[in-house]
Amino acid sequence: MDSNSHAGGRSGLGSLFGASPGYSQSDLAGVPLTGMSPLSPYLNVDPRYLVQDTDEFILPTGANKTRGRFELAFFTIGGCCMTGAAFGAFNGLRLGLKETQNMSWSKPKNVQILNMVTRQGALWANTLGSLALLYSAFGVVIEKTRGAEDDLNTVAAGTMTGMLYKSTAGLRGIARGGLAGLALTSIYALYNNWEHIKGSSTHLSL
């Protein structure tokens, strides 16, 4: 059987299974390419239709592309709880080893260290979780009241969170809590806008 018969067999099988005939380089020379490889002879699709220039999601008219404070509240509270639990567990391990340094390694020492780790982890998780809950609640209320979302909401929510958290410590405690919340949220706001501030200062210097 010669080569022509082999070619005829392949052509017959290709037509039987619906395969497309091969394209020559001259046939593909006029195909426009947009950052993709040439057309496959088995996939007769214009590459321009495969380039995605639009947004992945369709948003309602007037909707914001970024998530609001209510959507971020769950992430903030959960993240603070896990961070507090991890920090508390590490602090509890440090305190447990310090308190039992004169004891030999035994079951009572292990139990005492484990109790300290559990107690400190739960304490810090509860503390940071409560702060995150207050901060998120204040942030949502301020955002809905002002009808805007900016760094002023962040600073105001942090200040009010610190004041409420230390409200049982008297006027000095309220003032200290408010100043602590104001300082932390101000640093956070500056960090988020650092690139914008640096670009504005560079533009003014020019």
Side-chain angles (χ1 to χ4, degrees):
M1 185 177 295
D2 56 4
S3 59
N4 293 331
S5 60
H6 282 290
R10 287 194 298 269
S11 177
L13 290 177
S15 61
L16 177 62
F17 291 100
S20 301
Y23 292 93
S24 64
Q25 294 296 328
S26 59
D27 295 333
L28 297 177
V31 177
L33 300 179
T34 54
M36 301 182 63
S37 59
L39 274 176
S40 170
Y42 306 104
L43 183 62
N44 192 11
V45 178
D46 192 339
R48 290 176 297 180
Y49 295 108
L50 301 179
V51 179
Q52 186 175 0
D53 296 329
T54 58
D55 295 335
E56 184 177 357
F57 302 102
I58 299 176
L59 297 174
T61 303
N64 193 357
K65 293 183 179 181
T66 59
R67 292 181 295 178
R69 288 185 178 270
F70 183 77
E71 290 81 3
L72 292 174
F74 302 99
F75 172 78
T76 303
I77 296 171
C80 287
C81 286
M82 290 187 292
T83 302
F87 178 79
F90 179 79
N91 189 46
L93 178 62
R94 181 184 64 84
L95 294 177
L97 292 175
K98 182 178 180 180
E99 291 183 0
T100 60
Q101 60 183 352
N102 296 327
M103 299 175 57
S104 60
W105 285 102
S106 58
K107 186 175 181 180
K109 180 176 181 177
N110 295 336
V111 171
Q112 186 171 351
I113 294 175
L114 182 60
N115 290 337
M116 184 65 68
V117 169
T118 305
R119 189 180 304 114
Q120 288 293 316
L123 175 63
W124 279 96
N126 184 37
T127 301
L128 293 187
S130 300
L131 288 174
L133 177 61
L134 292 175
Y135 169 78
S136 300
F138 280 127
V140 171
V141 172
I142 295 173
E143 178 186 4
K144 299 301 181 182
T145 302
R146 296 183 63 236
E149 173 53 32
D150 50 23
D151 293 327
L152 180 60
N153 296 351
T154 301
V155 175
T159 304
M160 295 176 67
T161 299
M163 294 175 64
L164 182 61
Y165 187 76
K166 289 295 185 178
S167 59
T168 58
L171 294 178
R172 289 187 177 180
I174 294 175
R176 291 175 182 175
L179 290 176
L182 176 64
L184 291 176
T185 51
S186 298
I187 294 173
Y188 176 75
L190 288 175
Y191 173 77
N192 281 341
N193 295 275
W194 178 250
E195 294 296 332
H196 178 70
I197 296 174
K198 184 169 63 173
S200 299
S201 60
T202 304
H203 179 72
L204 291 175
S205 63
L206 295 178

